[in-house]
Amino acid sequence: MVRKKVRIGGLVIGPGEPVRVQSMTSTHTEDIKGTVNQIRELEKAGCEIVRVAVPDFESAEAIREIKKQINIPLVADIHFDYRLAMRAVEAGADKIRINPGNIGSDWKVREVVKACKEKDIPIRVGANSGSLKKELRRKMPVEDALVESVREEVKILEDMGFDNIVISIKASDVGVFIRANQKAHREFQYPFHIGVTEAGPVPQGIVKSSIGIGFLLMNGIGDTIRVSLTADPVEEIEVAYDILASTGIRKVYPEIISCPTCGRMEIDLLKLIEKVKPLWEGLKLPLKIAVMGCAVNGPGEAREADIGIAGGRGYGLIFRKGKIIKSVPEVDLYNEFKRELQKLIREVENAHEGGKGEG
Amino acid sequence: MVRKKVRIGGLVIGPGEPVRVQSMTSTHTEDIKGTVNQIRELEKAGCEIVRVAVPDFESAEAIREIKKQINIPLVADIHFDYRLAMRAVEAGADKIRINPGNIGSDWKVREVVKACKEKDIPIRVGANSGSLKKELRRKMPVEDALVESVREEVKILEDMGFDNIVISIKASDVGVFIRANQKAHREFQYPFHIGVTEAGPVPQGIVKSSIGIGFLLMNGIGDTIRVSLTADPVEEIEVAYDILASTGIRKVYPEIISCPTCGRMEIDLLKLIEKVKPLWEGLKLPLKIAVMGCAVNGPGEAREADIGIAGGRGYGLIFRKGKIIKSVPEVDLYNEFKRELQKLIREVENAHEGGKGEG
């Protein structure tokens, strides 16, 4: 099967492209200032595609102004009313998300398709375990109903000669989510947007998203990901990049290696982490940085770290790839580590010809 | 392959047994009072096996007194010095964790084995990507070196006729962790203790543990799990149970279904969750409880919830399995929900003959 690519504003998702991180605003979209502010915060955190809710015409209309003030592609999220989709397309949305299962009659979907075709923007279709048609839910297991639902929606679009499609299948049950996406991925050649829905508050929401999205990514499924948390959307971005890094799919930001707090600890590790973390805030380099609680095991156990720090009993160690490069009194540890980290960053950036990294 | 079971104090782990949740104290073990207090907190959170660090003889000796004051099996964690292991066994540890890679000569390991055999307690052996022998690390990929390291250690024990073994392979790289455990699981019939090590602070640590442990559990690997976070150990327990529930392996506590915060939200969802969460604190029943931000989609999208609440625009809905059972003014929502939840809990407990649940 030849897998397709899809363009969303200035980005392309699909085979060979980086898996893109997206989120959704929690503001009321018609509040242009609040929405733009949140999107800018999300951009700063690394969000690459943003979705806004469009529950009314004011929100659809607001897209026009919001688009002028942000730098990442914007997706309009439509429920129920196809006219809102039409208005959002007119206002400049880079992609439309509709759940045709709740848009109503096919002819309404057709109207939306026509508008998107004219503007050459993609449509994300899909199914959500919470809004499946009753007939489907009764007939078969949920995961099959989800795939069948997608099949029906895709057919409507394809029958109109429209193939600028992104697929998503959402469920709050991780097992259902995984199995349905695996089945659909074998059948459809379009890019997949993946995310566990109604995952819940932290930490449960992080756990469910990590297991579900992580499992699919490691099986080669997923072109853009959304972590849904009942929390500040900026936290969704951090978790999304952690999932990408942990699965080895895409490494953009530094990763921290640090030991669990144990009875062998010789230093207040949580405090130390809080203190040094700002040193690499906003840094777009996939360094492995270790912050370890004991000087004896620290450097060895964090051997894979590009740079690391271990404290204990009045002195501290700074190491690179397991090799101790400095042993200093604890009072000097922070400043020495800062210097060594900056040195390492310069080296890596020079090696990468100017430090543009991946992002 | 017939997989073995192993007894740890009053618990058995292995095929057909529940996957047990464990953690490790962060206190200094020789501080008996502090350690007992933390273990009791961990017990309250659902911890079923606890490990303590034994870096010196005082800590080994403290086990005797700690054991009298706690209700769950205790594992002594030994590095470097085999005499500490001997002393911990004498003091009544229910299991010993040694990493023979850093205990030194084989004869020392043999001494420990002899002591455990006499007391009939298991030994957890294993390898950690951070403390592999240099020769092994140079010869082969890390995941193979981890398996080879386990192979050597197991052989020493088996050659002495000792098969009361738990295996663990830890790594901070999720991919290495998964592949090494998969390989080892095909080869060894002993119970597996699984956990990602040096996973880091929250949220990254939660992400890495969820992906790694979740992936293995869904592939049938894992008899006891440890989530390692650079955080309060009590948080490790919550995350561990979230992983077990999300993978469908073992459901003990309520699961929350709640929507991400979006522009369609009609209520302060985070606040509502904080308010209702204490209603089921400590409840050992795997109910699905939904807390949704909008009354229009809420009940439908959280159809699978045993009970749910959705707020918005001055009134609130209470529903069961997607069916609205009550619509009340927002001011009465909390009390009405409390009443309905208690009713449901009574019903479920009666159906389970006295509500002992799984735990």
Side-chain angles (χ1 to χ4, degrees), chain A residues 22-256:
Chain A
Q22 57 175 287
S23 185
M24 186 168 183
T25 52
S26 63
T27 54
H28 289 279
T29 309
E30 81 273 18
D31 167 12
I32 293 174
K33 198 175 159 207
T35 303
V36 166
N37 282 346
Q38 196 177 53
I39 294 176
R40 284 190 179 152
E41 262 182 69
L42 285 166
E43 284 181 2
K44 213 175 124 195
C47 181
E48 299 175 300
I49 299 169
V50 70
R51 186 153 49 106
V52 301
V54 181
D56 48 40
F57 286 106
E58 291 71 28
S59 298
E61 207 45 57
I63 289 173
R64 205 179 303 273
E65 189 53 38
I66 293 168
K67 278 278 296 174
K68 289 182 197 158
Q69 301 184 40
I70 64 172
N71 303 300
I72 53 177
L74 182 145
V75 184
D77 190 276
I78 318 287
H79 280 232
F80 304 116
D81 192 340
Y82 82 104
R83 292 169 306 170
L84 295 174
M86 311 287 289
R87 192 70 72 91
V89 172
E90 260 178 60
D94 297 299
K95 177 181 159 194
I96 292 290
R97 180 244 175 163
I98 51 174
N99 194 330
N102 67 28
I103 283 283
S105 330
D106 284 356
W107 69 264
K108 293 178 180 171
V109 179
R110 280 171 212 275
E111 283 299 306
V112 177
V113 166
K114 214 176 108 192
C116 290
K117 220 174 175 178
E118 277 164 15
K119 291 256 193 168
D120 193 26
I121 64 170
I123 296 177
R124 171 183 144 203
V125 293
N128 183 317
S129 58
S131 55
L132 278 170
K133 284 184 200 160
K134 273 186 198 160
E135 313 87 79
L136 285 181
R137 249 186 20 253
R138 277 193 204 123
K139 257 192 263 176
M140 53 190 98
V142 188
E143 52 250 50
D144 295 326
L146 287 163
V147 178
E148 176 57 27
S149 178
V150 168
R151 200 175 284 133
E152 289 175 2
E153 309 306 349
V154 166
K155 191 173 180 319
I156 297 175
L157 303 192
E158 287 180 342
D159 284 352
M160 291 189 73
F162 190 86
D163 65 355
N164 201 0
I165 298 171
V166 175
I167 304 244
S168 88
I169 295 186
K170 300 218 167 176
S172 71
D173 182 281
V174 175
V176 168
F177 166 75
I178 289 174
R179 291 190 298 274
N181 272 287
Q182 286 177 315
K183 281 185 187 182
H185 196 257
R186 282 192 288 272
E187 183 168 334
F188 303 106
Q189 77 274 47
Y190 302 107
F192 272 64
H193 162 117
I194 59 173
V196 178
T197 189
E198 276 99 43
V202 172
Q204 182 198 285
I206 300 179
V207 170
K208 288 176 80 167
S209 290
S210 300
I211 296 176
I213 296 172
F215 191 96
L216 288 180
L217 287 175
M218 287 192 289
N219 283 282
I221 301 171
D223 302 288
T224 174
I225 68 173
R226 159 87 193 283
V227 172
S228 299
L229 299 176
T230 308
D232 184 335
V234 170
E235 200 168 342
E236 298 183 350
I237 303 300
E238 185 178 355
V239 171
Y241 279 105
D242 284 339
I243 294 174
L244 290 175
S246 300
T247 50
I249 295 292
R250 186 178 170 209
K251 302 199 176 207
V252 182
Y253 295 101
E255 177 182 343
I256 306 175

Side-chain angles (χ1 to χ4, degrees), chain B residues 119-321:
Chain B
K119 291 256 194 170
D120 194 26
I121 64 170
I123 297 178
R124 172 184 143 202
V125 294
N128 183 318
S129 58
S131 54
L132 278 170
K133 285 186 203 159
K134 273 187 197 157
E135 314 86 80
L136 284 181
R137 249 185 21 251
R138 277 193 203 122
K139 257 194 261 175
M140 51 189 98
V142 189
E143 52 250 50
D144 294 327
L146 287 163
V147 179
E148 176 57 26
S149 177
V150 169
R151 200 176 284 133
E152 289 175 2
E153 308 306 349
V154 166
K155 192 172 178 319
I156 297 175
L157 304 191
E158 288 179 342
D159 284 352
M160 291 188 72
F162 190 86
D163 65 354
N164 201 0
I165 298 172
V166 175
I167 304 242
S168 88
I169 294 185
K170 300 219 168 176
S172 72
D173 182 282
V174 176
V176 169
F177 166 75
I178 289 174
R179 291 190 299 273
N181 272 287
Q182 286 178 317
K183 282 186 186 181
H185 195 256
R186 280 191 289 270
E187 184 168 333
F188 303 106
Q189 77 274 45
Y190 302 109
F192 272 63
H193 162 117
I194 59 173
V196 178
T197 191
E198 276 99 44
V202 172
Q204 182 198 286
I206 301 179
V207 170
K208 287 175 82 167
S209 289
S210 301
I211 296 175
I213 297 172
F215 192 96
L216 289 179
L217 287 174
M218 289 193 288
N219 282 284
I221 300 171
D223 302 288
T224 175
I225 68 173
R226 159 88 193 283
V227 172
S228 299
L229 298 176
T230 308
D232 184 334
V234 169
E235 198 168 343
E236 298 183 351
I237 303 299
E238 185 178 354
V239 171
Y241 279 105
D242 284 340
I243 293 174
L244 290 176
S246 300
T247 50
I249 295 291
R250 185 178 171 209
K251 303 203 175 202
V252 182
Y253 295 102
E255 177 182 342
I256 306 175
I257 296 173
S258 67
C259 38
T261 58
C262 88
R264 219 170 273 115
M265 213 156 56
E266 297 162 352
I267 201 168
D268 188 338
L269 189 57
L270 291 174
K271 231 180 188 167
L272 182 62
I273 290 176
E274 283 317 303
K275 196 173 168 194
V276 295
K277 230 177 149 179
L279 290 177
W280 60 84
E281 207 176 65
L283 177 70
K284 266 192 151 180
L285 270 186
L287 296 176
K288 284 197 178 185
I289 304 173
V291 186
M292 306 293 284
C294 83
V296 180
N297 295 331
E301 297 227 339
R303 188 175 290 115
E304 57 187 304
D306 297 300
I307 191 163
I309 189 175
R313 306 196 180 171
Y315 74 105
L317 300 175
I318 298 167
F319 49 94
R320 272 195 183 195
K321 294 272 177 195

Side-chain angles (χ1 to χ4, degrees), chain A residues 257-277:
Chain A
I257 295 173
S258 67
C259 38
T261 58
C262 89
R264 219 171 274 114
M265 213 156 57
E266 297 162 352
I267 200 169
D268 188 339
L269 189 58
L270 291 173
K271 230 177 184 169
L272 182 63
I273 290 177
E274 283 318 303
K275 195 172 169 196
V276 295
K277 230 177 149 180

